């Protein structure tokens, strides 16, 4: 079953024994939970897209390991075209869900682990890549969702893992056995964890010899013994419990993050891809982050297409679409968004093969891409809120609209252009509200800021890649400075 249908994916999740806590309670049936379900629908979209013949080239690829057509989210990039098709696919999914579809962290993890394990094997005589390829073939054959887990809770940011008051603030090896390792710790802000079959866990930063036990990478089923999740909450999330669809803004889709706790979890040797090779933790982090910073040039531009579309509809329903300043604001939004798109494509097309043969994005351009993503979506949202008007946050509830007494008054006084039903105008307002202030703002704004690393993380990478010496040399040559 190299390609599952969306429905098969949903059924496959029902078979997992996920331990998920939400609002202080163990969730009985996460698949149908009203808070979690919209995020599952977003992941399901990655399966539906792969089944759609119109997107076969974007959403699937032929695995070099099995010769079978697999979901692109499980593909090891073989060319710059693969890298570009990845962001094209992400843009389409962003457009279809206006949300985080969560599967890219796994795609970025498999590509980062694949090349890093190879180079680590060359230096240390380990056999991590061969183990990893076997695992990947299993995931490809079963079309599984792999969650890529990197961010540790980190405790005191001024201290390395080995100096923390609590050693569990970074995932680490607590015991080594002949047949595997036992790990403890947690991964925070973990996108997609409640909707994944598997996860790949990676270190979150460069390590030194003292941090050897924290330099660990492995894969593990999401329902392994000792693993449990504590769901993060999102602004306005309990609107999903009210029963209607209007007030949630984006009724069918969403994203989610959780804390994954590893309470002494056994990992068999065949699923360990780094154990103590601290000199390769920095490479793994840099590559995963590079791929995920490229990803944002795809997914966030797709989400922004929906925000821009909603702003244009709001202008139309308000009767303001012909105003020149409104037209200009929409142009500005498109300009900002397509600049991000250009960065996503540029870092893909400037990608190069690694020593292992898979393709890595241009790291400087990927970091430029993500640095812009930490800014432009905020400006796009500011302009959307400007165009929409105050109704964005003052509209009465769906219950008021449906109420026999106040409903007619809501309908009368919140109508804009006479030909457009008030309900349609309110739907668009709620959609924008969701993206700017509600559950959708997690994916479009906060993730844009902190996902794949906060702005400063990109600036550090930009400074490393900038090669100022080469730029100084250019000028020296031009003005005849010889030393
Ligand atoms: Fe994919 Fe974007 Fe979500 Fe990251 S934030 S997992 S790139 S959709
Ligand atoms: Fe993200």
């Amino acid at each position: 079953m190299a390609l599952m249908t969306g429905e098969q994916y949903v059924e496959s999740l029902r078979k997992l024994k996920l331990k998920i806590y939400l609002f202080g309670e163990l969730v009985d049936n996460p698949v149908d939970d009203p808070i979690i379900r919209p995020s599952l629908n977003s992941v399901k979209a990655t399966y539906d897209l792969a089944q759609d013949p119109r997107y076969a080239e974007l959403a699937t690829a032929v695995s070099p390991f099995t010769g079978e057509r697999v979901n692109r989210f499980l593909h090891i990039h073989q060319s710059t075209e693969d890298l570009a098709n990845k962001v094209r696919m992400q843009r389409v999914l962003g457009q279809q869900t206006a949300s985080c579809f969560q599967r890219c962290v796994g795609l970025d993890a498999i590509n980062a682990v694949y090349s890093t394990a190879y180079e680590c094997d060359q230096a240390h005589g380990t056999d991590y890549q061969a183990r990893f390829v076997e695992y990947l073939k299993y995931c490809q054959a079963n079309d599984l969702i792999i969650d890529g887990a990197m961010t540790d809770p980190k405790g005191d940011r001024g201290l390395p893992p080995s100096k923390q008051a609590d050693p569990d603030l970074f995932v680490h090896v607590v015991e080594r056995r002949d047949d595997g390792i036992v790990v403890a710790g947690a991964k925070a802000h973990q996108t997609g964890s409640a909707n994944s079959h598997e996860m790949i866990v990676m270190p979150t930063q460069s390590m030194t010899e003292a941090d050897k036990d924290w330099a660990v990478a492995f894969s593990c089923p999401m329902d392994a013994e000792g693993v449990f999740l504590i769901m993060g909450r999102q602004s306005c999330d309990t609107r999903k419990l009210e029963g209607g669809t209007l007030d949630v803004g984006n009724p069918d889709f969403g994203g989610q993050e959780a804390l994954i706790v590893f309470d002494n979890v056994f990992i068999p040797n065949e699923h360990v891809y780094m154990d103590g090779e601290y000199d390769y933790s920095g490479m793994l982090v840099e590559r995963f982050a590079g791929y995920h910073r490229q990803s944002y040039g795809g997914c966030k531009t797709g989400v922004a297409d929906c925000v821009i579309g909603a702003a244009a509809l709001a202008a139309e329903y308000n009767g303001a679409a012909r105003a020149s300043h409104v037209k200009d604001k929409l142009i500005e939004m498109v300009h900002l968004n397509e600049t991000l798109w250009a960065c996503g494509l540029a870092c893909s097309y400037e990608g190069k093969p690694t020593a292992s043969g898979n393709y890595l994005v241009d790291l400087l351009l990927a970091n430029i891409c993500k640095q812009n993503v930490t800014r432009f979506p905020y400006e796009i949202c500011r302009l959307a809120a400007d165009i929409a008007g105050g109704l964005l946050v003052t509209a009465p509830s769906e219950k008021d609209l449906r109420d026999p007494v106040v409903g007619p008054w809501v309908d009368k006084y919140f109508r804009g252009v006479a030909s457009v039903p008030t309900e349609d105008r309110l739907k668009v307002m709620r959609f924008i509200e969701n993206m700017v202030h509600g559950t959708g703002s997690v994916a479009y704004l906060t993730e844009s800021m902190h996902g794949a690393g906060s702005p400063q993380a990109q600036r550090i990478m930009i400074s490393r890649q900038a090669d100022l010496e080469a730029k100084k040399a250019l000028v020296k040559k031009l003005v005849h400075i010889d030393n």
Side-chain angles (χ1 to χ4, degrees):
M1 198 204 307
L3 285 176
M4 267 204 273
T5 65
E7 284 312 318
Q8 286 169 331
Y9 159 65
V10 175
E11 292 316 306
S12 71
L13 272 197
R14 286 189 199 284
K15 295 193 186 110
L16 298 186
K17 295 183 180 60
L18 294 178
K19 241 177 137 184
I20 304 176
Y21 290 91
L22 175 65
F23 299 137
E25 283 173 15
L26 192 60
V27 182
D28 219 20
N29 171 8
V31 168
D32 299 311
D33 183 272
I35 298 272
I36 300 173
R37 182 58 191 236
S39 69
L40 184 150
N41 291 341
S42 301
V43 181
K44 179 174 172 286
T46 69
Y47 287 95
D48 293 337
L49 196 77
Q51 296 284 333
D52 186 336
R54 290 172 302 165
Y55 295 106
E57 275 309 303
L58 286 197
T60 67
V62 174
S63 165
F65 310 110
T66 65
E68 283 214 59
R69 195 159 272 281
V70 298
N71 194 297
R72 185 173 290 284
F73 282 101
L74 291 165
H75 183 54
I76 297 293
H77 310 300
Q78 302 296 304
S79 63
T80 54
E81 201 53 35
D82 270 346
L83 290 170
N85 278 338
K86 171 195 164 189
V87 287
R88 289 192 186 105
M89 169 182 73
Q90 289 167 316
R91 185 162 187 173
V92 172
L93 285 166
Q95 292 169 342
Q96 292 186 352
T97 62
S99 189
C100 166
F101 33 90
Q102 304 146 58
R103 206 172 175 179
C104 332
V105 277
L107 171 60
D108 296 337
I110 60 173
N111 276 280
V113 170
Y114 180 80
S115 64
T116 305
Y118 177 87
E119 288 177 50
C120 181
D121 289 347
Q122 301 295 304
H124 290 281
T126 43
D127 66 342
Y128 293 137
Q129 203 208 31
R131 294 176 183 183
F132 180 70
V133 169
E134 283 311 304
Y135 169 70
L136 183 64
K137 286 197 310 205
Y138 159 74
C139 293
Q140 288 183 338
N142 293 284
D143 202 5
L144 300 180
I145 300 287
I146 306 173
D147 204 14
M150 179 162 275
T151 308
D152 294 87
K154 295 201 201 93
D156 182 338
R157 271 60 176 169
L159 296 174
S162 53
K163 295 261 167 27
Q164 295 285 336
D166 180 348
D168 295 345
L169 290 169
F170 289 76
V171 170
H172 64 126
V173 180
V174 289
E175 191 188 336
R176 289 189 175 83
R177 301 180 187 165
D178 288 345
D179 54 348
I181 56 174
V182 177
V183 297
K187 290 290 179 184
H189 326 297
Q190 191 49 52
T191 293
S193 41
N195 301 320
S196 298
H197 307 97
E198 287 279 322
M199 64 179 135
I200 293 177
V201 173
M202 300 161 282
T204 198
Q205 62 188 45
S206 300
M207 305 271 173
T208 62
E209 193 167 2
D211 303 321
K212 236 174 153 181
D213 287 343
W214 288 265
V216 60
F218 58 87
S219 59
C220 164
M222 196 56 83
D223 60 352
E225 186 70 35
V227 171
F228 62 92
L229 275 53
I230 305 171
M231 295 292 291
R233 75 171 311 178
Q234 300 176 335
S235 178
C236 308
D237 51 6
T238 46
R239 287 192 191 182
K240 295 183 212 164
L241 302 176
E242 292 173 8
T245 54
L246 199 157
D247 289 350
V248 289
N250 185 357
D252 297 327
F253 299 104
Q256 50 93 354
E257 274 78 27
L259 180 78
I260 307 179
V261 180
F262 300 86
D263 184 14
N264 294 300
V265 178
F266 175 71
I267 310 293
N269 283 332
E270 61 267 30
H271 291 153
V272 176
Y273 315 117
M274 177 183 288
D275 178 14
E277 293 80 9
Y278 62 89
D279 44 338
Y280 281 85
S281 61
M283 177 186 284
L284 186 52
V285 173
E286 194 172 287
R287 291 185 179 177
F288 173 78
Y291 283 124
H292 211 55
R293 290 168 193 173
Q294 168 212 24
S295 287
Y296 277 37
C299 77
K300 300 307 177 212
T301 51
V303 174
D305 287 327
C306 302
V307 177
I308 297 167
L313 274 177
E316 204 177 300
Y317 294 177
N318 289 348
R322 284 188 302 277
S324 62
H325 74 96
V326 169
K327 286 187 197 159
D328 193 54
K329 283 166 187 156
L330 289 168
I331 291 167
E332 178 65 8
M333 293 163 89
V334 172
H335 159 71
L336 291 168
N337 199 37
E338 297 305 326
T339 303
L340 299 179
W341 178 236
C343 291
L345 283 178
C347 68
S348 305
Y349 278 117
E350 288 296 305
K352 298 274 177 319
T354 65
S356 70
N358 75 339
Y359 272 66
L360 177 64
V361 290
D362 182 280
L363 289 177
L364 176 59
L365 292 176
N367 278 278
I368 300 290
C369 177
K370 175 66 205 331
Q371 182 80 176
N372 285 333
V373 170
T374 65
R375 300 172 182 179
F376 296 179
Y378 286 84
E379 181 63 4
I380 289 171
C381 280
R382 189 184 73 79
L383 292 166
D386 179 350
I387 291 171
L391 188 57
L392 186 63
V393 291
T394 62
S397 70
E398 179 172 3
K399 282 190 179 138
D400 290 311
L401 179 69
R402 310 261 181 249
D403 185 79
V405 178
V406 297
W409 296 100
V410 172
D411 187 61
K412 173 182 168 75
Y413 284 117
F414 291 109
R415 188 162 294 238
V417 170
S419 60
V420 175
T422 301
E423 182 169 344
D424 289 356
R425 185 169 178 234
L426 292 177
K427 279 182 180 167
V428 170
M429 292 295 164
R430 288 295 185 208
F431 180 84
I432 299 173
E433 182 202 26
N434 180 256
M435 301 311 298
V436 176
H437 304 290
T439 55
S441 70
V442 178
Y444 189 48
L445 293 179
T446 316
E447 270 194 13
S448 290
M449 180 67 81
H450 294 295
S454 306
Q456 188 57 20
Q458 289 108 60
R459 298 186 82 78
I460 291 167
M461 278 302 292
I462 290 168
S463 78
R464 271 194 218 146
Q465 306 274 330
D467 199 357
L468 286 181
E469 291 310 312
K471 296 185 199 312
K472 286 194 260 179
L474 293 175
V475 179
K476 282 184 175 176
K477 187 165 178 239
L478 286 167
V479 301
H480 305 175
I481 295 174
D482 294 331
N483 54 33

